[in-house]
């Protein structure tokens, strides 16, 4: 049971928009930046979003991040079949003094 | 171009010690946080711990009693030791770079090494 709660799976059609939520608490998301990672099958995760809403160089602007209170959201527009992957949120937890990850969301692009 | 490469045995017996090394090429080894993250087959990501250039460590509380990390800047390597392993420690182990003061911002990952705990 992860401290950060993500939906296990989401699906949408190519070209559509999807959002993935990450719910936490005051001791983690409420007081720290959130990062998001994309993990394609059989590959290492890749940083998609950092500081809750910033994109590293090379990440298309179809990917966006936001944070409000104790929740964060990853948005993906103009879905492509290649976006089908696992997505994980992560942040620091002040009470645990530890990095924590969400349980992950599997995105299916139908 | 920053690259990280894990190395170590792919098979460890129960109750023994898992030892992995990560070799870093490119970039500075002195100004970042160096991490181990693992992923059991078919499951999610779990942060194991981090070490900085002063040797200061931070470990996941759930693993703290069994984990030791070290850093050798002259060899551009950092290491993980996890003792008293069980089958629950079977996982893909990734070595990962993070930005200081932004502990969950993991910008470079190794390809991962699968470690199986089995007799």
């Amino acid at each position: 049971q992860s401290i950060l709660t993500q939906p296990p799976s989401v699906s949408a059609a190519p070209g559509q928009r999807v959002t993935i939520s990450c719910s936490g608490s005051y001791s983690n998301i409420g007081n720290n930046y959130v990062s998001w990672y994309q993990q394609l099958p059989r590959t290492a995760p890749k940083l998609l979003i950092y500081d809750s809403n910033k994109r590293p160089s090379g990440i298309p602007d179809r990917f966006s991040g936001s944070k409000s209170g104790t929740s964060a959201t990853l948005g993906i527009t103009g879905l492509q079949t290649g976006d089908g992957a696992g997505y994980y949120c992560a942040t620091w937890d002040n009470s645990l003094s530890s990095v924590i990850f969400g349980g992950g969301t599997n995105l299916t692009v139908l | 171009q920053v690259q990280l490469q894990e190395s170590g045995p792919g098979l460890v017996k129960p109750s023994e010690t898992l030892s992995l090394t990560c070799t870093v090429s490119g970039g500075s080894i002195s100004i970042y946080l160096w991490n181990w993250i693992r992923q059991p087959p078919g499951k999610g990501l779990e942060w194991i711990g981090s070490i900085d250039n002063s040797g200061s460590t931070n470990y996941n509380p759930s693993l703290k009693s069994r984990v030791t990390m070290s850093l050798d800047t002259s060899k551009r390597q950092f290491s993980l030791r996890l003792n008293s392993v069980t089958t629950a420690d079977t996982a893909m182990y990734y070595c990962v770079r993070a930005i200081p003061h932004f502990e969950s911002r993991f910008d470079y990952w190794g390809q991962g090494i699968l470690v199986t705990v089995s007799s």
Side-chain angles (χ1 to χ4, degrees):
Chain A
Q1 194 83 356
S2 300
I3 296 172
L4 300 180
T5 302
Q6 297 182 233
S9 64
V10 295
S11 62
Q16 296 295 304
R17 177 179 183 266
V18 72
T19 59
I20 298 172
S21 60
C22 176
S23 178
S25 68
Y26 180 80
S27 67
N28 42 69
I29 292 178
N31 278 280
N32 293 288
Y33 288 123
V34 177
S35 302
W36 287 92
Y37 298 88
Q38 177 193 61
Q39 186 176 31
L40 298 169
R42 295 172 298 281
T43 66
K46 179 173 75 171
L47 180 63
L48 271 187
I49 297 290
Y50 67 94
D51 292 0
S52 304
N53 59 12
K54 296 183 174 64
R55 283 177 287 106
S57 173
I59 300 300
D61 59 7
R62 300 188 298 108
F63 295 90
S64 64
S66 64
K67 190 184 95 163
S68 178
T70 59
S71 293
T73 301
L74 173 70
I76 312 173
T77 60
L79 275 173
Q80 302 174 1
T81 55
D83 296 331
Y87 292 84
Y88 295 88
C89 58
T91 189
W92 180 259
D93 189 289
N94 296 335
S95 297
L96 296 173
S97 293
S98 175
V99 173
I100 55 175
F101 284 95
T105 298
N106 187 47
L107 169 62
T108 301
V109 182
L110 303 167
Chain B
Q1 178 72 349
V2 176
Q3 292 186 317
L4 292 83
Q5 180 67 59
E6 304 88 352
S7 59
L11 181 64
V12 181
K13 288 183 167 56
S15 81
E16 296 190 344
T17 296
L18 179 160
S19 294
L20 296 176
T21 296
C22 181
T23 302
V24 181
S25 57
S28 169
I29 195 160
S30 299
I31 62 173
Y32 293 98
L33 289 175
W34 302 99
N35 297 258
W36 290 95
I37 292 170
R38 70 180 183 178
Q39 184 173 34
K43 296 189 177 180
L45 300 167
E46 180 179 36
W47 178 75
I48 299 171
S50 66
I51 187 168
D52 68 16
N53 69 302
S54 72
S56 178
T57 54
N58 237 327
Y59 299 139
N60 186 321
S62 68
L63 298 169
K64 190 172 185 174
S65 63
R66 299 194 293 132
V67 172
T68 304
M69 292 179 61
S70 59
L71 175 68
D72 187 334
T73 55
S74 65
K75 292 183 178 179
R76 298 182 61 86
Q77 293 178 334
F78 63 103
S79 299
L80 168 71
R81 288 175 58 86
L82 179 67
N83 58 35
S84 305
V85 297
T86 70
T87 55
D89 295 309
T90 293
M92 185 73 80
Y93 285 77
Y94 296 100
C95 60
V96 189
R97 192 182 87 170
I99 309 299
H101 309 299
F102 296 91
E103 285 81 358
S104 73
R105 184 173 155 184
F106 303 114
D107 60 351
Y108 285 95
W109 296 64
Q111 65 183 24
I113 183 169
L114 179 62
V115 178
T116 301
V117 178
S118 174
S119 55

